[in-house]
């Protein structure tokens, strides 16, 4: 009889670099295919981790690298594709300040993508502040997941 296998260890959470490597690989795959649907596009974009300095709309260098890849992918999206860049925060600070910061970050991502050659009319940017959390803001991990850029197909 075969010996019982020990249960598989749970996969370690991916760090930001690993997440961006996976996002870049998916974007490369889509770029090679061309004429990408809006849904496939935003699914790939949402794999990326885009970081900012605390309290700032200045993009980190790692974020610039993944946005270069995102721009390449956006350029081969199907005609008429429109993408919303949504900025989100955790609940630290005043809601009004978080709304301004999330909008500034979304606008920073949009401006960077346009500078990288993406047609401006394809993009919109909106700040949501802390109004759409993914996780509870009661833990550091939850707050980290709530501080994000989220791409969606714009109507």
């Amino acid at each position: 009889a075969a010996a019982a296998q020990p249960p598989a260890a749970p996969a370690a959470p991916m760090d930001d670099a690993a997440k961006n490597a996976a996002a870049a690989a998916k974007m490369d795959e889509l770029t090679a295919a061309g004429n990408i649907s809006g849904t496939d596009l935003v699914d790939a974009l949402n794999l990326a981790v885009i970081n900012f300095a605390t309290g700032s709309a200045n993009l980190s260098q790692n974020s610039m690298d993944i946005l270069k890849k995102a721009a390449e992918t956006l350029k081969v999206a199907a005609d008429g594709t429109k993408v919303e860049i949504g900025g989100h925060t955790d609940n630290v600070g005043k809601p009004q300040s978080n709304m301004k910061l999330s909008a500034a970050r979304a606008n920073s991502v949009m401006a960077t993508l346009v500078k990288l050659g993406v047609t401006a009319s394809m993009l919109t940017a909106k700040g949501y502040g802390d109004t759409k959390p993914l996780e509870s803001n009661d833990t550091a991990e939850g707050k980290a997941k709530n501080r994000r850029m989220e791409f969606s197909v714009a109507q």
Side-chain angles (χ1 to χ4, degrees):
Q5 294 291 320
M14 287 197 287
D15 66 10
D16 290 354
K19 289 177 184 175
N20 281 347
K26 183 65 178 174
M27 288 182 221
D28 283 342
E29 181 184 310
L30 291 174
T31 301
N35 200 32
I36 308 161
S37 76
T39 302
D40 288 343
L41 175 63
V42 298
D43 286 350
L45 294 172
N46 283 326
L47 294 174
V49 177
I50 300 170
N51 291 316
F52 300 87
T54 301
S56 165
N58 295 329
L59 289 156
S60 69
Q61 183 56 51
N62 290 341
S63 296
M64 291 298 297
D65 293 341
I66 196 65
L67 286 176
K68 287 176 187 171
K69 185 66 67 179
E72 293 171 18
T73 308
L74 282 157
K75 290 176 196 176
V76 296
D79 286 343
T81 300
K82 296 203 180 290
V83 175
E84 178 186 282
I85 304 160
H88 299 266
T89 66
D90 58 27
N91 67 346
V92 174
K94 295 180 179 171
Q96 185 178 10
S97 297
N98 284 338
M99 194 63 75
K100 285 181 183 176
L101 179 60
S102 65
R105 288 177 171 175
N107 283 317
S108 178
V109 169
M110 182 176 158
T112 299
L113 291 169
V114 169
K115 200 178 293 182
L116 292 169
V118 177
T119 305
S121 62
M122 180 183 195
L123 305 171
T124 60
K126 181 164 181 170
Y128 290 95
D130 63 359
T131 64
K132 294 186 174 192
L134 290 177
E135 302 275 333
S136 167
N137 279 303
D138 294 336
T139 66
E141 295 82 16
K143 286 178 182 177
K145 287 183 180 177
N146 292 334
R147 294 187 302 265
R148 68 193 188 282
M149 284 291 117
E150 191 169 12
F151 298 86
S152 58
V153 178
Q155 301 302 330

